[in-house]
Amino acid sequence: MLELDAEHVHNLSKRVKELSGDDVTHCIQCGKCSGGCTVAPDMEEIPSRIMRFIQLNMKERALTSSMVWTCSSCLTCTARCPEGIDIAKVMNVLRMMCLAEGYTPKEKHIHVFNRLFIDMIKKYGRVYELGLMVQNNMMAMTPFRDIGLLPAILKKRKIGLLPHKVKALGEVKELFKKGQTFYKRMKVEGWK
Amino acid sequence: MTESSHHENIELLTYSEVIDVKGFVGNFDVTIRMRPRSVDMSRCTGCGDCLTKCPAKVPSEADQGLGTRRAIYKPFSNAVPNVPVIDRDHCIYFTKGKCQICQKVCKAGAINYEQEETIRTEKFGAIIVATGFSLFDISKYGEYGGGRYKDVITGLQLERMIDPNGPTGGRLVRPSDGKPAKSVVFVQCVGSRDEVKGMAYCSKVCCMYTAKQAILLKDHFPETQSYVFYIDIRATGKNYEEFILRAQREYGVVYLRGRVSKIHDPGDKLEVYGADTLAGESVKINADLVVLASAMVPNPDARDLARMLNIPYDSYGFYSEIHPKLQPVESITRGMFIAGACTFPKDIPDSVMMGSAAAAKVCTLFAADELTVEPKLAEVAVDKCVGCFNCVDVCPYDAIQKDTVSGRNVARVIQTLCQGCGNCASTCRSGALDVKGFTDKAIYAQISAPFEADEEEENAYAGA
């Protein structure tokens, strides 16, 4: 049972607004985001319900939902929202909050993939596909998954054997530095 | 109100009651009972001395029982006319024979205990019925405390509470202990949209006044948090939707989509149990004050009045118009108009519109030198009428009168009252009454036409 009290009822929506700039209290629960969501049909919670969790300060439910991690950031919801809420961005913020607050991500594999992807960007400034595939398979304990596809992919030159770096790697690093400070501040500041 | 009381063409009859209406459009004979006010209206200056000196205190009707009034009182502070009235059921002089304090303090000598009820009958051309509505009795909802919990109040009571001249002087308090209320829960649709305990219809105004009250509370008492339990928000007027959104966004009113299931009173704060179906979660709120948006219902005496005025009413007791879309202010009786919430729950703009429409209809009626009537009227063939007057009994519009033609008693139809329903025509034993264009002869001819044998057709069958 959800117990609402006057002091805290707006906490989560305020926090999300601080972090994303989007006011989720504007959500009128029309469900247009959920109707167009590419992953919602396979989820327990739909995007509009996540927005409702934020409106009613249901932190636990919002941060531990698998929807938050499964969201593929296709931005269909953002493009269609009649209230102009950037829902995909809000989902992103929820992912950050989930990690900063020490919750276990509901979808571990997706979290691991995200982690590896980001690390790769940090290292090369772009994706090293083969490395990402191998590392992801290792982390997921399925080392030989999709291995049969490799010769064909290599033959068609879809991916390279060796990693490539972007020229302006310094600028990419700079971006990451900014992100880190934001994330650290998020952890330190805290909120109720 | 004040303006109309000064208008030269308007006579305001307060503390009076219509007890009988006879006649028809342009010729209504209205009998009015003027109840004894016990205060001489021509002498009273409206100083209000008596109102403060009267020792008898009674729960105030205007303040919805939250405050008290005296036995000599004005219904509310801005009442027109500015003359008090003595409530004889509670006045100490009238119940026990002693007191007369008001008479002693009245400098104008306006108090008159001997005033008696007067009855007057006057002629009127048209009548507009705008008798308003009552509120649904919340005691039917046992799960909300049924009126036993002092901190569970109606929207109208809250309205009185936040009035600076109201019973609490504009302070938002818990009626049980007078402490300030911080957490306020509004419950919509109490009696509305409930086919088991209440009314099937939507009362229309509650969504908006609840939002208004929630905004006012946040404005006047910033530390309050309001929650609104609703089934649907019905905000279909000019700027209404925006108003609701403002309550949610600017004033932080929390809207929860669901009906409150139970209110429990463990002693200190009320526990409100409901649900938010949008989050799919049951909800519990500790509240200082719960405000029920009770349904708009017809007045308890609406049916009696309707029968006296010959106005049809629906199963709830709301007055029926001739046509809900095209003739919304006209009753079936010519010259009798209906306006406002006595026809159905409606808000102020709608009531104003309807009142203006009814007034304009009366002006149109009076401006014409002649009345146009529908040709579909009952007609008496005087030579056939035997004077049994069965028709008089069956006419729902009192449109048939007894008349004498060359010494014989015959029926006469008052054309302005007749609506052409045909009750009299089917009742008339001697066949003297017919509705024009629908004579018995014509109807018989129409019915028998399809059954008349077609000669050619019959021959064809015979040949086959």
Side-chain angles (χ1 to χ4, degrees):
Chain A
M1 175 171 288
L2 169 67
E3 286 202 32
L4 290 179
D5 65 306
E7 269 178 59
H8 302 115
V9 68
H10 297 299
N11 278 4
L12 187 56
S13 53
K14 272 186 196 155
R15 182 67 174 159
V16 169
K17 195 181 175 185
E18 271 168 30
L19 296 173
S20 73
D22 281 282
D23 192 348
V24 180
T25 59
H26 281 218
C27 172
I28 54 171
Q29 289 289 308
C30 67
K32 208 177 170 194
C33 50
S34 308
C37 179
T38 46
V39 296
D42 302 317
M43 292 292 106
E44 329 166 341
E45 315 284 18
I46 47 179
S48 52
R49 184 159 278 190
I50 304 290
M51 299 300 116
R52 188 66 181 158
F53 292 158
I54 300 173
Q55 287 180 335
L56 294 186
N57 197 36
M58 297 164 75
K59 185 173 139 191
E60 190 93 14
R61 291 287 293 276
L63 298 187
T64 59
S65 157
S66 57
M67 180 73 221
V68 169
W69 291 97
T70 318
C71 169
S72 62
S73 298
C74 70
L75 301 192
T76 306
C77 49
T78 301
R80 290 181 187 165
C81 177
E83 295 292 329
I85 302 170
D86 190 343
I87 297 154
K89 193 171 172 190
V90 171
M91 292 291 182
N92 233 334
V93 161
L94 291 180
R95 273 182 245 188
M96 283 164 65
M97 287 176 73
C98 172
L99 296 176
E101 312 246 330
Y103 285 97
T104 321
K106 187 76 182 287
E107 299 287 331
K108 273 185 203 152
H109 293 320
I110 297 177
H111 171 52
V112 166
F113 178 84
N114 284 356
R115 197 70 256 164
L116 294 172
F117 185 90
I118 294 292
D119 283 348
M120 210 137 269
I121 302 286
K122 202 171 168 185
K123 214 164 169 187
Y124 305 117
R126 53 162 301 184
V127 178
Y128 167 39
E129 291 97 342
L130 191 63
L132 182 65
M133 281 161 74
V134 171
Q135 277 187 28
N136 193 37
N137 275 3
M138 298 305 284
M139 295 294 281
M141 314 276 265
T142 52
F144 302 114
R145 196 176 59 174
D146 300 332
I147 195 106
L149 297 172
L150 195 60
I153 296 173
L154 285 175
K155 200 176 159 192
K156 287 192 174 174
R157 292 176 164 264
K158 285 283 176 196
I159 57 173
L161 271 177
L162 296 170
H164 298 277
K165 279 187 185 173
V166 294
K167 282 176 197 161
L169 201 57
E171 281 173 38
V172 174
K173 292 228 161 110
E174 208 47 45
L175 279 176
F176 271 93
K177 233 183 226 169
K178 271 188 193 165
Q180 270 303 327
T181 37
F182 181 68
Y183 183 66
K184 266 183 198 157
R185 213 179 62 219
M186 203 173 144
K187 267 176 117 170
V188 175
E189 267 178 6
W191 59 289
K192 273 178 200 168
Chain B
M1 277 296 275
T2 323
E3 215 174 305
S4 63
S5 71
H6 298 321
H7 196 281
E8 54 177 330
N9 286 344
I10 298 176
E11 189 188 355
L12 213 54
L13 299 177
T14 53
Y15 211 50
S16 314
E17 176 180 26
V18 173
I19 52 173
D20 193 29
V21 173
K22 286 259 160 14
F24 47 89
V25 56
N27 283 297
F28 287 114
D29 293 309
V30 180
T31 315
I32 303 159
R33 177 195 291 146
M34 320 261 291
R35 288 189 277 169
R37 186 182 279 276
S38 315
V39 177
D40 190 338
M41 282 183 69
S42 56
R43 286 194 180 172
C44 177
T45 57
C47 69
D49 281 349
C50 50
L51 305 180
T52 52
K53 293 285 170 354
C54 174
K57 283 187 183 172
V58 189
S60 161
E61 292 87 356
D63 285 341
Q64 299 290 308
L66 288 175
T68 55
R69 62 162 172 85
R70 308 300 170 107
I72 183 163
Y73 72 109
K74 282 191 291 173
F76 50 96
S77 55
N78 302 331
V80 174
N82 188 18
V83 177
V85 52
I86 292 181
D87 172 3
R88 293 191 174 185
D89 294 336
H90 295 102
C91 172
I92 297 172
Y93 174 70
F94 279 101
T95 52
K96 299 193 180 124
K98 279 180 194 164
C99 182
Q100 293 179 299
I101 289 178
C102 47
Q103 199 168 44
K104 282 167 208 152
V105 296
C106 182
K107 293 183 196 86
I111 308 290
N112 176 8
Y113 298 115
E114 268 72 58
Q115 251 184 25
E116 274 175 26
E117 133 178 338
T118 48
I119 304 235
R120 65 190 247 200
T121 303
E122 269 185 62
K123 268 206 183 309
F124 293 95
I127 295 172
I128 298 177
V129 185
T131 44
F133 66 97
S134 289
L135 280 184
F136 182 81
D137 176 15
I138 58 167
S139 70
K140 284 181 187 162
Y141 280 86
E143 61 266 46
Y144 296 166
R148 287 178 290 116
Y149 301 159
K150 279 191 167 174
D151 295 340
V152 178
I153 61 173
T154 64
L156 207 53
Q157 283 177 318
L158 181 68
E159 198 65 42
R160 292 308 304 142
M161 218 192 258
I162 51 183
D163 179 0
N165 301 320
T168 61
R171 286 181 309 124
L172 182 68
V173 295
R174 314 199 311 181
S176 60
D177 54 9
K179 283 185 194 158
K182 297 264 190 261
S183 164
V184 183
V185 172
F186 290 90
V187 184
Q188 308 257 266
C189 302
V190 179
S192 314
R193 304 179 73 193
D194 183 340
E195 290 182 41
V196 175
K197 283 187 186 163
M199 310 294 179
Y201 56 79
C202 161
S203 286
K204 203 175 174 188
V205 299
C206 328
C207 284
M208 295 317 293
Y209 82 64
T210 297
K212 183 208 78 173
Q213 288 180 339
I215 286 181
L216 275 183
L217 290 191
K218 195 77 193 168
D219 250 351
H220 294 349
F221 320 100
E223 72 282 10
T224 52
Q225 173 66 47
S226 303
Y227 305 87
V228 180
F229 280 95
Y230 69 98
I231 308 175
D232 295 288
I233 293 295
R234 298 193 163 168
T236 57
K238 190 177 181 180
N239 292 329
Y240 282 17
E241 177 70 15
E242 295 90 322
F243 191 78
I244 298 276
L245 294 181
R246 237 176 75 205
Q248 294 175 351
R249 294 169 185 178
E250 287 177 38
Y251 293 87
V253 180
V254 176
Y255 273 72
L256 299 156
R257 206 218 148 270
R259 212 169 193 146
V260 167
S261 180
K262 184 179 164 52
I263 300 168
H264 181 53
D265 187 7
D268 179 26
K269 284 198 167 191
L270 294 166
E271 287 173 357
V272 181
Y273 294 93
D276 181 65
T277 59
L278 296 172
E281 192 86 4
S282 57
V283 176
K284 180 190 159 195
I285 296 172
N286 290 322
D288 292 313
L289 199 63
V290 177
V291 184
L292 306 181
S294 47
M296 287 170 90
V297 294
N299 280 323
D301 60 350
R303 285 160 207 251
D304 297 335
L305 183 70
R307 279 191 283 266
M308 186 178 78
L309 298 174
N310 234 330
I311 298 174
Y313 50 87
D314 62 16
S315 58
Y316 304 111
F318 287 119
Y319 298 163
S320 307
E321 56 290 272
I322 296 181
H323 190 288
K325 290 174 184 171
L326 301 174
Q327 285 170 295
V329 295
E330 285 133 304
S331 88
I332 197 122
T333 309
R334 198 88 194 263
M336 191 96 74
F337 300 90
I338 49 179
C342 66
T343 65
F344 200 67
K346 50 177 56 72
D347 58 3
I348 296 168
D350 283 5
S351 300
V352 170
M353 262 184 257
M354 223 176 161
S356 313
K361 283 276 176 191
V362 172
C363 293
T364 327
L365 183 72
F366 288 174
D369 295 331
E370 288 178 335
L371 274 182
T372 342
V373 288
E374 287 275 324
K376 201 179 61 183
L377 296 175
E379 199 177 27
V380 183
V382 179
D383 51 332
K384 285 191 201 162
C385 180
V386 295
C388 68
F389 299 120
N390 278 349
C391 48
V392 175
D393 295 333
V394 297
C395 179
Y397 308 104
D398 289 338
I400 302 179
Q401 282 185 345
K402 294 174 184 176
D403 197 11
T404 319
V405 174
S406 47
R408 274 193 323 123
N409 283 334
V410 291
R412 188 170 66 88
V413 176
I414 303 164
Q415 295 205 327
T416 46
L417 280 179
C418 177
Q419 301 291 328
C421 70
N423 266 4
C424 52
S426 56
T427 308
C428 183
R429 296 186 300 178
S430 56
L433 264 158
D434 265 322
V435 178
K436 279 180 194 169
F438 294 91
T439 59
D440 286 352
K441 217 174 155 188
I443 292 170
Y444 280 135
Q446 281 171 7
I447 295 170
S448 50
F451 301 108
E452 271 168 20
D454 189 319
E455 247 175 62
E456 262 179 49
E457 223 171 272
E458 248 169 38
N459 289 341
Y461 281 119

